[in-house]
Amino acid sequence: ELQYLTGLLNATGVDGRVAAVEGEAGVGKSRLADAFEEVATAAGHPVISARCYAGETGIALGPVVALLRARLVDPGDRDPLPLSDPTREALSVLLPELLPAGLSAAGDHGRGPAARLALFEAIIDGLAPGSADPQTPTSVRLDDLQWAEDSTLEVLAFLARRLAGGSV
């Protein structure tokens, strides 16, 4: 399984891939994901991780915020990704720290399908920018997905349908 996941990473190129590790509790899913993360990191591929928790199923987009924070705010030894001003503004609803000092997020970012689509597109720009280097794809790891709430699942489905041109 580790060899298969590593093969997917190496074959990512300009179009991303999705892999799900599933199975009964205790069969080693997290251990496999840990091993993959070690291999990817050792090869110079960024990995951003978050975990879903049973007690947080009512927090909309909680795991997505954690992924974005790992990618954009606290990237460790990596430089944070540059964001366009519209993306930065849209994501400030979830991560107010993305706005320059002294500015605050506009009060109402809109409601309805158009506003939701704009937010989802900004999330994708933050997680899987089309300009990412195809030679060093980023892996997004989300553990315990069974505890994710609907909005997080919608973002993941949105991302999965838009992996063309995104090295993730």
Side-chain angles (χ1 to χ4, degrees):
E1 287 85 1
L2 179 59
Q3 195 171 29
Y4 177 77
L5 290 174
T6 304
L8 284 178
L9 178 67
N10 294 331
T12 296
V14 296
D15 293 329
R17 305 274 191 267
V18 174
V21 178
E22 61 181 355
E24 297 297 320
V27 298
K29 299 178 300 292
S30 292
R31 188 171 23 167
L32 172 61
D34 289 342
F36 172 77
E37 190 168 334
E38 288 175 19
V39 168
T41 302
H45 299 285
V47 178
I48 54 173
S49 302
R51 179 177 297 279
C52 302
Y53 296 97
E56 296 179 1
T57 57
I59 301 174
L61 299 174
V64 173
V65 170
L67 289 170
L68 287 167
R69 185 165 281 125
R71 178 84 162 156
L72 303 171
V73 179
D74 302 318
D77 59 355
R78 300 182 311 271
D79 290 330
L81 289 176
L83 296 174
S84 68
D85 289 340
T87 297
R88 185 176 295 280
E89 184 177 348
L91 290 179
S92 71
V93 173
L94 301 175
L95 295 166
E97 59 267 44
L98 289 179
L99 287 178
L103 293 179
S104 61
D108 182 19
H109 286 273
R111 301 195 189 284
R116 190 167 180 83
L117 177 62
L119 176 60
F120 279 23
E121 287 174 342
I123 290 169
I124 300 314
D125 286 347
L127 291 177
S131 62
D133 179 2
Q135 300 305 312
T136 56
T138 297
S139 294
V140 176
R141 175 183 174 183
L142 194 53
D143 282 316
D144 294 324
L145 195 56
Q146 73 273 16
W147 301 119
E149 44 66 53
D150 290 343
S151 294
T152 295
L153 296 175
E154 289 175 20
V155 166
L156 293 177
F158 191 84
L159 170 63
R161 289 189 304 271
R162 286 157 181 81
L163 288 175
S167 178
V168 66

